[in-house]
Amino acid sequence: AQSVTQPDIHITVSEGASLELRCNYSYGATPYLFWYVQSPGQGLQLLLKYFSGDTLVQGIKGFEAEFKRSQSSFNLRKPSVHWSDAAEYFCAVGANSGGYNKLIFGAGTRLAVHP
Amino acid sequence: NAGVTQTPKFQVLKTGQSMTLQCAQDMNHEYMSWYRQDPGMGLRLIHYSVGAGITDQGEVPNGYNVSRSTTEDFPLRLLSAAPSQTSVYFCASSSLRQGVSNQPQHFGDGTRLSIL
């Protein structure tokens, strides 16, 4: 079965510290992988996506993610966190169901940033 | 740029009442979908549509109906609201290219629904 696991429900970091949010997926074929961010009271905004090619992908707001097929992982990283990065982050895998577009989401990781 | 517009933003219903959540997009996207977001469960797909007149069930379809009469609109209907349907509902849309799952979805800001 297709699934996405985000092991960390809450993470707290200090402003300026580095960040890594973990994501593991289960999918039989080559995955299409996404990271979305949700600020309080808002919808989801796409941070970055992986389809093929270079396994290190760059996104908006200084985020990057690395696809590791051997570990079935797609971890999100940022070298220096800003207070405005406090939000909830969702990893998702794009799956084909009857040939149509479907996103399977992880449960999310809520990031708090201390000044 | 409007993108995906959901109305209303907030709603409180009594058990047994019916209501329709509205979703409209102005990007000419073929694919539209409804998700519900519950704490600790991420987003779960309720229904989706790949074009006008075509809809299908997602992961958690029970208690919800949808229709797609135009490309732009994809309303979600609760026929008889239950407390278990208290949630935040998101509509999303994306283009379709040969039906593959590699097109990022654009999300609305959500509808916060409480069933008493």
Side-chain angles (χ1 to χ4, degrees), chain A residues 36 38 51 90 95-96 99 101, chain B residues 31 37 90 99 101-102 105 112:
Chain A
Y36 286 85
Q38 183 182 31
F51 295 159
F90 292 94
N96 275 304
N101 195 350
Chain B
Y31 182 88
Q37 182 181 28
F90 287 98
S101 308
N102 61 2
Q105 295 196 25
R112 283 149 184 81

Side-chain angles (χ1 to χ4, degrees), chain A residues 8-87:
Chain A
D8 305 304
I9 298 174
H10 295 279
I11 285 184
T12 301
V13 300
S14 298
E15 191 168 18
S18 63
L19 172 70
E20 183 170 27
L21 302 182
R22 296 183 291 165
C23 172
N24 294 98
Y25 67 89
S26 172
Y27 187 61
T30 301
Y32 299 110
L33 296 161
F34 306 84
W35 274 100
Y36 286 85
V37 61
Q38 183 182 31
S39 298
Q42 301 295 314
L44 279 71
Q45 180 184 21
L46 180 70
L47 280 176
L48 47 79
K49 60 190 178 188
Y50 170 79
F51 295 159
S52 64
D54 192 348
T55 56
L56 184 64
V57 293
Q58 303 297 320
I60 62 172
K61 304 184 180 185
F63 285 92
E64 66 178 26
E66 186 172 12
F67 170 59
K68 293 185 178 180
R69 184 186 299 274
S70 62
Q71 300 177 18
S72 298
S73 69
F74 188 57
N75 295 348
L76 182 71
R77 301 193 295 249
K78 186 169 185 178
S80 178
V81 171
H82 188 264
W83 63 267
S84 61
D85 293 323

Side-chain angles (χ1 to χ4, degrees), chain B:
Chain B
N1 294 333
V4 179
T5 303
Q6 291 184 237
T7 56
K9 294 189 182 302
F10 303 93
Q11 185 69 49
V12 179
L13 292 178
K14 294 181 179 179
T15 298
Q17 285 185 315
S18 63
M19 111 162 264
T20 299
L21 308 185
Q22 301 292 345
C23 176
Q25 53 93 7
D26 61 359
M27 297 171 282
N28 202 32
H29 285 164
E30 304 95 329
Y31 182 88
M32 296 185 74
S33 56
W34 278 101
Y35 294 87
R36 61 177 289 173
Q37 182 181 28
D38 302 293
M41 304 189 74
L43 279 76
R44 293 179 293 168
L45 182 65
I46 304 171
H47 286 286
Y48 66 93
S49 168
V50 298
I54 306 170
T55 64
D56 206 348
Q57 296 180 350
E59 182 183 0
V60 287
N62 292 341
Y64 307 96
N65 282 348
V66 292
S67 60
R68 184 97 177 267
S69 57
T70 67
T71 300
E72 295 79 15
D73 300 301
F74 190 46
L76 178 72
R77 297 184 186 85
L78 284 70
L79 298 180
S80 179
S84 61
Q85 294 177 304
T86 293
S87 187
V88 181
Y89 291 85
F90 287 98
C91 179
S93 74
S94 70
S95 60
L96 274 179
R97 295 178 188 174
Q98 300 177 334
V100 296
S101 308
N102 61 2
Q103 304 308 314
Q105 295 196 25
H106 300 258
F107 285 83
D109 286 340
T111 295
R112 283 149 184 81
L113 183 62
S114 293
I115 315 295
L116 304 179

